[in-house]
Amino acid sequence: MHRFHYAGADLHCESVDLAAIARLYGTPTYVYSAGTMADNYRRLLAAFGALDVRICYAAKANSNLAVLRHFANLGAGFDLVSGGEIRRVLAAGANVETSVFAGVGKTEDEIALALENGIHAFHVESEPELARINHVAGKRGVAAPVAFRINPDVDALTHAKITTGKSDSKFGIPLRQAVAAYEAAAKLKHIRLRGVQMHIGSQLTAAAPFAAAVEKLLPLVARLQADHGIEYFSIGGGLGIVYEDALASGAADWWESRPEDRRPLTPEAYGAALGPLLEPLGLKILLEPGRFLTGNAGVLLTRVEHLKRGAGRNFLVVDAAMNDLVRPAMYGSHHECVPLHRDSSRRALVADIVGPVCETGDCFGRDRRLQEVGEGELLAFMSAGAYGFAMAGRYNSRPLPAEVLVQGSAFEQVNARETFEQMTAGEKIPAFLQ
Ligand code: LLP
């Protein structure tokens, strides 16, 4: 469910006409629905019933300060992966005391920053990393709270680039080494064992891999609870969203209208599969969703530059490109493309939707079917709220796009389009070239 819908012929985000946003702030522009994010947050929490659950929003999915503040206001902690993300949470006016710090290559400075700000725990990926955390905590005369990330060696059945729970990935420590790792860690003076963590991949569309991984880890978790008094089990993120039928999936009755074998994983089914496995532990459970909370809460607005009729192919050239939304080029992922103004009297058009960047890979979709549209008309790429702006770059010297947050009938630009001066601010011509 999400709050993007046509009111009459015009696509709205909550109560706001998206064309009005495009006119005010130009394109390409990301637009997010605060209401959808709140719905997703509450729905996921409710799916675990009475279980003691904390949602640590994976900031990497969308780390705009306004988005972080919104989740902090809702009661979320954060799953953070860099000093930059820690600083973003602080800049958003939130604290990191309910947040966790993950990642395979934390630097000494990042570890110190996390300790200084009272991080809830470090999610540790290796023994050398643990030694570094112990060292930095020792210099500050404190004990660092930690949880090991355990790799359960389970196939998440998702895209190869975002599967993380198999033993050949760089993530976590193998299950069979876990007990020894905790025992060694317990002997370190500046380490305090606080939890255990897993994360098997992203955009999972079935509950079975999550359940298999949790089941594999349960005996270990119970043992760590008994031997080391750990307080929590984080089961990571990974809950997938709808990309193919994104616009229609906003309707309340969409899920039931789908054939049974084509219904995506819901938070309720995720909670129902995992809740009963986790409940007997009596531990606090952490969830680290990114995509589920923000993915379908965002669109990327773009304007048509030209309809280019090629040899046997049509190319709809738009003003957004792979630098703004890299997922199609990087993962071959699908983002539904819809017109902001719907006109059923128009003929259909089948075209490749492409950006202006000088690579054939700069393509949002091949042979897409939509109503005929011409120069200057506006389109939206759906499901772009997660890993959209967060992965944007400046390739072809294209500035970072603008971002707007909507709540009800209110909206504000929460990130201005980058200027040329900002883009080049750190660059200079060296003296030897002048
Ligand atoms: N926890 C950990 C330790 C993670 O590595 C990730 C994502 C998450 C939580 C959040 O996963 P989510 O709930 O969003 O699936 N750029 C890719 C996705 C990369 C995910 C990386 N890790 C994409 O656009 O599909």
Side-chain angles (χ1 to χ4, degrees):
M1 297 254 302
H2 59 72
R3 300 193 189 194
F4 293 90
H5 59 97
Y6 284 97
D10 298 306
L11 189 64
H12 282 58
C13 173
E14 306 201 17
S15 311
V16 179
D17 184 352
L18 285 168
I21 291 181
R23 274 196 299 273
L24 265 172
Y25 303 114
T27 51
T29 290
Y30 280 94
V31 182
Y32 311 126
S33 157
T36 305
M37 293 180 194
D39 291 344
N40 290 343
Y41 179 85
R42 296 195 181 108
R43 190 174 163 196
L44 182 58
L45 211 52
F48 283 84
L51 211 64
D52 181 10
V53 167
R54 178 191 296 159
I55 293 181
C56 287
Y57 166 58
K60 64 173 81 66
N62 183 331
S63 56
N64 181 285
L65 297 183
V67 171
L68 298 182
R69 176 59 170 264
H70 185 38
F71 283 115
N73 289 349
L74 287 165
F78 299 95
D79 168 42
L80 306 169
V81 292
S82 69
E85 286 192 355
I86 294 173
R87 296 187 59 181
R88 278 184 173 275
V89 169
L90 299 172
N95 67 48
V96 297
E97 283 157 23
T98 51
S99 299
V100 292
F101 186 17
V104 296
K106 303 171 189 78
T107 66
E108 292 206 5
D109 285 349
E110 288 174 322
I111 293 166
L113 181 67
L115 283 173
E116 213 169 280
N117 289 286
I119 196 86
H120 185 68
F122 293 88
H123 285 172
V124 179
E125 305 254 5
S126 67
E127 279 156 13
E129 183 199 328
L130 184 75
R132 180 180 286 182
I133 293 172
N134 184 53
H135 172 71
V136 177
K139 279 204 292 199
R140 307 180 68 83
V142 296
V146 306
F148 276 106
R149 175 172 178 172
I150 309 299
N151 186 325
D153 195 19
V154 165
D155 191 343
L157 305 175
T158 183
H159 193 287
K161 285 186 182 163
I162 52 177
T163 192
T164 55
K166 287 290 286 172
S167 58
D168 59 0
S169 86
K170 69 180 175 185
F171 297 104
I173 62 166
L175 183 52
R176 61 173 189 289
Q177 291 171 19
V179 170
Y182 274 85
E183 261 152 32
K187 297 198 179 93
L188 297 177
K189 194 159 159 228
H190 299 287
I191 294 295
R192 175 177 154 218
L193 295 169
R194 189 163 223 177
V196 58
Q197 200 263 358
M198 65 167 229
H199 171 76
I200 59 172
S202 194
Q203 183 55 16
L204 272 72
T205 51
F210 287 118
V214 166
E215 277 181 320
K216 252 178 131 169
L217 258 54
L218 279 179
L220 169 74
V221 178
R223 179 163 175 187
L224 297 174
Q225 204 178 350
D227 293 355
H228 299 290
I230 62 163
E231 299 158 23
Y232 76 87
F233 178 17
S234 172
I235 61 169
L239 185 54
I241 62 163
V242 176
Y243 283 101
E244 293 280 337
D245 210 8
L247 182 64
S249 74
D253 58 355
W254 177 81
W255 194 84
E256 302 224 317
S257 70
R258 305 270 297 169
E260 227 165 291
D261 59 341
R262 299 204 48 212
R263 289 179 182 169
L265 179 59
T266 61
E268 290 75 22
Y270 173 71
L274 302 181
L277 298 175
L278 299 167
E279 206 222 63
L281 292 168
L283 278 177
K284 182 181 259 311
I285 301 302
L286 262 54
L287 308 177
E288 303 167 6
R291 187 189 321 261
F292 174 74
L293 295 180
T294 55
N296 70 0
V299 298
L300 173 60
L301 303 183
T302 188
R303 192 177 292 274
V304 175
E305 297 289 6
H306 310 285
L307 174 59
K308 174 176 170 180
R309 302 210 186 254
R313 276 202 107 71
N314 295 319
F315 297 99
L316 197 58
V317 184
V318 299
D319 70 356
M322 62 189 288
N323 70 296
D324 303 302
L325 176 63
V326 76
R327 301 191 71 260
M330 191 154 178
Y331 311 112
S333 54
H334 181 94
H335 287 267
E336 191 179 7
C337 186
V338 296
L340 291 204
H341 183 76
R342 200 161 54 173
D343 181 353
S344 55
S345 69
R346 295 204 198 167
R347 282 186 308 182
L349 168 74
V350 175
D352 292 3
I353 304 175
V354 300
V357 162
C358 303
E359 290 197 27
T360 304
D362 183 26
C363 177
F364 290 106
R366 303 264 288 170
D367 294 321
R368 290 294 183 88
R369 197 180 174 80
L370 64 173
Q371 75 185 31
E372 204 152 50
V373 283
E375 186 179 333
E377 291 194 86
L378 295 161
L379 304 170
F381 289 108
M382 303 297 297
S383 322
Y387 308 110
F389 185 92
M391 296 178 80
R394 303 181 178 88
Y395 187 36
N396 277 211
S397 288
R398 293 169 51 84
L400 293 173
E403 295 174 284
V404 171
L405 184 65
V406 174
Q407 183 164 267
S409 55
F411 65 90
E412 252 183 69
Q413 181 170 255
V414 292
N415 193 9
R417 187 177 312 289
E418 192 177 44
T419 62
F420 174 76
E421 288 68 30
Q422 289 165 335
M423 190 191 319
T424 52
E427 300 179 32
K428 65 170 211 171
I429 313 289
F432 57 78
L433 288 184
Q434 288 176 19

